[in-house]
Amino acid sequence: MSTAVTEGIEVSVQGAFRADRSAPAQERFLYTYTVRIRNDGASAARLVSRHWIITDARGEREEVKGDGVIGQQPRLAPGQSFDYTSFCVLRTPLGQMRGAYTMARDDGTTFQAEIAPFALAVPASLN
C-alpha cells in the first residue's frame, strides 16, 4: 500500500494481482488497484483530472491522463472520502504505478495531489 498527503488530501492505494483475469503465457498480467482519497484539510476540494505513470519490469512506460476517475469528479468536503477500484494490464509480472490528481478548491485554486508509487506484483514473483 502507498499513502501520500498533499495540502490535506490523503491518497492511499493498494494494488492486487488478478490471476483469474490474467494470461501469463500471453504476457497479460491484470492488476486491480483500490484508491481512497480523503480530505483531512480545512477546505473542500474537487478531483478534476488524473495523471498515472505505469511502468513495467522492462522499463516500458505508459502515461494515462484524463478527466476525473471512473467517470466522476468527486468533491470532498473536509472529513469526506471517496473510494474506487480500477485496473491496468502489464506485460510483465512486476510493475509500478504512481501519479497525481489535479484538485480544485472552491476559490478556483488548483494543486497536484501526489499518488505515491505502489507495486504491482504477482505474489510468487517477489520471492
Side-chain angles (χ1 to χ4, degrees), residues 57-77:
R58 295 178 183 145
E60 292 182 24
R61 179 175 153 158
E62 177 184 1
E63 292 195 45
V64 177
K65 297 179 181 183
D67 293 337
V69 291
I70 63 166
Q72 299 181 53
Q73 292 182 322
R75 180 183 180 276
L76 302 174

Side-chain angles (χ1 to χ4, degrees), residues 62-121:
E62 177 184 1
E63 292 195 45
V64 177
K65 297 179 181 183
D67 293 337
V69 291
I70 63 166
Q72 299 181 53
Q73 292 182 322
R75 180 183 180 276
L76 302 174
Q80 287 186 322
S81 63
F82 178 80
D83 297 354
Y84 75 95
T85 299
S86 191
F87 72 95
C88 71
V89 177
L90 297 182
R91 294 176 53 210
T92 61
L94 293 171
Q96 180 189 80
M97 288 180 69
R98 63 184 171 90
Y101 296 124
T102 300
M103 306 294 293
R105 300 280 186 200
D106 290 346
D107 66 5
T109 60
T110 62
F111 63 96
Q112 299 297 307
E114 178 188 0
I115 305 166
F118 61 96
L120 302 170

Side-chain angles (χ1 to χ4, degrees), residues 11-14 33-37 47 50 52 68-70 72 74 82-87 101 115:
V11 179
S12 299
V13 188
Q14 177 70 53
Y33 54 94
T34 300
V35 180
R36 168 165 280 184
I37 306 162
L47 191 158
R50 68 190 182 283
W52 287 105
V69 291
I70 63 166
Q72 299 181 53
F82 178 80
D83 297 354
Y84 75 95
T85 299
S86 191
F87 72 95
Y101 296 124
I115 305 166

Side-chain angles (χ1 to χ4, degrees), residues 17-26 28-31 89-90 122:
F17 174 63
R18 291 289 306 269
D20 61 322
R21 306 280 307 270
S22 297
Q26 285 78 44
R28 177 183 163 83
F29 299 86
L30 189 137
Y31 301 89
V89 177
L90 297 182
V122 173

